Amino acid sequence: MSIKLRTCLALVFGLLMILLTILLGVVINRLSSNNIEKEIGNTLGGIAYQMSDKLDYFMWSRSGEIDVVSKLDVLRNPQERHSAQELLQELKANIPSFTWIGLTDAAGVVAASTENLLHGVDISQRPVFKQGSKEKFIGDVHEAVLLAKLLPNPTGEAMQFVDISVPLTDSASQFSGVLAAHLSWEWSKEMENSLLESYSSLKEHVDIIVVSRKDNVVLLGPKELVGQTLQLESIQQASSQKGGWALEAWPDGNNYVTGYSYGDGYMNYGGLDWTVLVREPKHVAYQSVDTLQRYIFMIGFAAAALFALLGWLVAGMVSRPLTNIAAAARRIQSGERIGLPQHKGIADIENLTDSLDNLLRNLTTTEAALGHMESLAHHDRLTGLPNRVGFEEYIRMVADRKGSPGNGLVLMYMDLDGFKKVNDTLGHAAGDELLKIVAQRILGQLREGDMAARLGGDEFVAVLRHGHADSRKVALAAAGRILDAVREPYLLDGEQAGVGISIGAAAWPEDGSDIQEVMKLADASLYKSKLKGKNCVTIHNA
């Protein structure tokens, strides 16, 4: 049975375009999907790391405060109980995270405490005394026992605490009692909320979950998971790899992209070995991938329909021109960047040629759009600076060129001082505007070839190329410019505001051949700046 040329060409053109669409769709979707999935996973893993770091830093701070207070003579002298009571009360008033602070005698009887709660009660059998009488003790999250009925509880939910206690000695270096404190677990929820505020696009469908080292019990997370035991591969991976992400099935039967991080302490605080998980439903996380796939196939099938129609219209006069067009198409498919041959005088052939050119431009535009999407994944939406992912990619590229002469870098970590006050007094919109201005001020103080990125919240980083120059001088000069620029007043919605900035810096490869270790040194230097009083710069080994 013979088929008319118009019908044959229409079918052939339509079939070829469908096959080409499927091929391009599969190739482009696979390449783009892998990249987007990695960016999503790395983002969730980064959030998990930030939460883990915040938890460890908070516990380190509170532990250090108890250490400092325990050294005061007023706590070691039984004759100063009234003064000790006032001191504990003032400590609790200034640090609300301390729900209860108490001082016991050597027998474990509470001799002074905030609000006089448990005063005169024997707590010698409680872990906070039994363990704290031997050495410094930091207990995992647990429900209140003695304080449950004494403290206000407007929510009606079970109250949970983290214990910190240290032994005390008198002037003769004899054991005289224990200084014990209960931290309300509510501070972890405050940290969770503050962290998610930095990721407004993820806040609605991302869960942050904290898992105890004991039996993998959920300490923080959705209500239906709190108190439950989780058996997940990501928890096992966290304890060995410290951080990363995975796509896995959860007990509710749903698949989640799960970022994980293992809290192994901060500085001299050894940590409670909590695992932080950040999960996002797979169908939500990969929605952009699915949308891209549909977009590619819609364009392809629309083009297939168009070309089938054109094949029907030009069948009568396309034999020779079609051969030329097919030859050009094969050259394009092989990778040559050429245009399709033009045939003047035959309107149908001219239309076909133009349509093919339009298709090529559409595919090129689609490819450019994919590149733009990848660029968005590497840049901070608020300030336009590279984000944490873009910064880490930049560092990887620089590290790969470590053999190049004059390739030395100064890594400068920066954190704003007083930014929370701006947010609290002028609102988050003003805070966002301030972050944009700060980003431009930092960028304006860098030289050509340097880069700046926003890691999240009010944290920034700059990478300075120093070539063969003195890295310390380069760091001090740039830090001085940035300190002066950031300290300049800000006019936000008619209100004047001000912030400072703390800076920590380290040089690569002078301070270490491993650039990741140098990044940690710069981060540690930043914390030293904070401890020195903020609004200053600390350079490693300066």
Side-chain angles (χ1 to χ4, degrees):
M1 180 178 66
S2 60
I3 302 176
K4 291 183 178 181
L5 180 58
R6 286 186 175 182
T7 304
C8 180
L9 285 177
L11 292 174
V12 170
F13 270 64
L15 180 60
L16 285 176
M17 286 306 304
I18 290 174
L19 293 176
L20 180 60
T21 298
I22 293 175
L23 176 62
L24 289 175
V26 170
V27 173
I28 295 176
N29 183 64
R30 179 170 297 178
L31 293 176
S32 61
S33 296
N34 289 340
N35 289 334
I36 295 175
E37 288 170 9
K38 287 180 181 178
E39 300 300 341
I40 294 170
N42 288 334
T43 296
L44 296 182
I47 297 174
Y49 170 78
Q50 291 180 59
M51 183 65 178
S52 177
D53 187 59
K54 282 177 174 286
L55 291 174
D56 283 341
Y57 181 78
F58 182 90
M59 288 298 299
W60 169 76
S61 299
R62 302 293 84 77
S63 172
E65 288 155 358
I66 292 298
D67 277 340
V68 171
V69 172
S70 70
K71 301 297 189 299
L72 300 178
D73 291 337
V74 69
L75 300 183
R76 301 168 178 270
N77 188 350
Q79 307 302 321
E80 297 286 343
R81 292 308 189 210
H82 179 71
S83 298
Q85 173 81 24
E86 292 180 347
L87 174 63
L88 299 182
Q89 197 66 45
E90 183 176 354
L91 179 61
K92 180 180 181 297
N94 284 280
I95 307 177
S97 298
F98 286 121
T99 302
W100 178 86
I101 310 172
L103 171 67
T104 77
D105 59 19
V109 176
V110 178
S113 64
T114 53
E115 282 83 32
N116 281 322
L117 296 177
L118 300 182
H119 188 274
V121 175
D122 183 354
I123 63 169
S124 60
Q125 298 306 309
R126 303 300 304 159
V128 72
F129 179 84
K130 295 177 68 175
Q131 300 293 331
S133 62
K134 303 172 184 176
E135 58 184 359
K136 183 177 181 179
F137 169 69
I138 301 179
D140 210 336
V141 179
H142 64 89
E143 291 189 5
V145 178
L146 298 176
L147 290 172
K149 297 179 180 180
L150 302 177
L151 293 171
N153 186 10
T155 65
E157 298 179 358
M159 301 178 68
Q160 293 185 307
F161 298 110
V162 178
D163 297 335
I164 301 176
S165 59
V166 293
L168 301 175
T169 57
D170 57 22
S171 57
S173 299
Q174 298 298 313
F175 173 70
S176 62
V178 165
L179 176 62
H182 288 327
L183 290 170
S184 171
W185 186 234
E186 289 298 315
W187 57 265
S188 63
K189 297 179 182 178
E190 296 172 4
M191 289 189 173
E192 175 190 20
N193 292 333
S194 67
L195 180 58
L196 288 180
E197 286 295 332
S198 303
Y199 298 88
S200 56
S201 61
L202 301 176
K203 184 177 181 181
E204 297 298 326
H205 40 78
V206 164
D207 295 321
I208 295 181
I209 298 161
V210 179
V211 182
S212 170
R213 65 182 175 185
K214 182 179 180 181
D215 301 328
N216 292 341
V217 173
V218 176
L219 304 176
L220 175 70
K223 289 184 178 180
E224 66 273 11
L225 288 180
V226 174
Q228 303 297 315
T229 298
L230 285 181
Q231 298 297 335
L232 295 172
E233 181 66 23
S234 57
I235 298 178
Q236 303 301 321
Q237 292 292 333
S239 61
S240 58
Q241 298 179 2
K242 303 305 180 185
W245 67 277
L247 176 62
E248 60 184 345
W250 279 60
D252 61 2
N254 296 321
N255 288 322
Y256 293 86
V257 182
T258 307
Y260 54 82
S261 181
Y262 186 76
D264 54 0
Y266 180 81
M267 295 183 71
N268 62 345
Y269 164 63
L272 292 173
D273 299 327
W274 291 331
T275 298
V276 177
L277 306 176
V278 179
R279 70 176 190 179
E280 184 176 20
K282 177 185 175 183
H283 69 278
V284 176
Y286 293 166
Q287 187 175 18
S288 59
V289 177
D290 297 336
T291 301
L292 174 64
Q293 186 177 29
R294 288 194 299 270
Y295 178 69
I296 293 172
F297 281 105
M298 285 175 61
I299 291 179
F301 284 113
L306 174 63
F307 274 81
L309 177 61
L310 290 175
W312 177 269
L313 295 175
V314 302
M317 303 178 66
V318 296
S319 297
R320 184 178 61 82
L322 185 59
T323 301
N324 295 336
I325 291 173
R330 285 193 292 272
R331 293 175 63 188
I332 293 173
Q333 187 177 9
S334 67
E336 294 186 43
R337 292 187 175 274
I338 61 172
L340 296 177
Q342 301 294 321
H343 296 276
K344 302 297 182 181
I346 303 176
D348 292 338
I349 297 300
E350 291 178 7
N351 290 337
L352 175 60
T353 304
D354 291 340
S355 297
L356 286 170
D357 278 336
N358 288 335
L359 174 62
L360 291 174
R361 283 194 294 271
N362 286 339
L363 292 175
T364 302
T365 301
T366 300
E367 183 179 4
L370 289 173
H372 178 63
M373 290 177 65
E374 184 174 358
S375 176
L376 288 176
H378 285 76
H379 285 79
D380 175 45
R381 296 183 181 180
L382 179 65
T383 63
L385 296 178
N387 57 16
R388 184 181 292 275
V389 175
F391 165 67
E392 292 175 349
E393 183 65 26
Y394 177 82
I395 289 298
R396 281 195 293 271
M397 290 190 300
V398 170
D400 290 340
R401 299 197 299 268
K402 61 184 178 181
S404 304
N407 198 36
L409 301 176
V410 172
L411 299 174
M412 187 177 295
Y413 278 66
M414 296 170 280
D415 190 89
L416 296 183
D417 302 321
F419 176 68
K420 183 179 185 299
K421 180 179 179 181
V422 174
N423 261 348
D424 292 343
T425 57
L426 301 182
H428 291 288
D432 288 347
E433 183 62 27
L434 185 143
L435 288 175
K436 293 179 185 178
I437 300 173
V438 167
Q440 293 306 310
R441 290 186 181 182
I442 291 174
L443 203 58
Q445 307 312 312
L446 302 183
R447 307 160 304 174
E448 183 177 355
D450 297 340
M451 72 90 71
R454 181 189 177 204
L455 301 182
D458 58 352
E459 299 175 11
F460 296 83
V461 64
V463 182
L464 316 176
R465 296 181 180 274
H466 66 76
H468 297 291
D470 187 322
S471 62
R472 304 302 190 266
K473 291 182 179 179
V474 171
L476 283 173
R481 295 193 300 268
I482 292 172
L483 281 167
D484 291 339
V486 172
R487 283 197 291 250
E488 289 292 323
Y490 300 80
L491 188 62
L492 307 172
D493 292 334
E495 296 286 335
Q496 184 167 311
V499 295
I501 190 167
S502 294
I503 303 175
W508 176 83
E510 292 94 321
D511 294 331
S513 59
D514 186 345
I515 198 165
Q516 299 296 328
E517 290 300 320
V518 176
M519 290 167 62
K520 293 180 180 178
L521 293 176
D523 194 25
S525 296
L526 169 60
Y527 281 111
K528 290 180 181 178
S529 292
K530 290 287 188 182
L531 293 174
K532 288 192 297 186
K534 306 181 180 180
N535 206 22
C536 61
V537 60
T538 299
I539 299 177
H540 180 72
N541 279 340

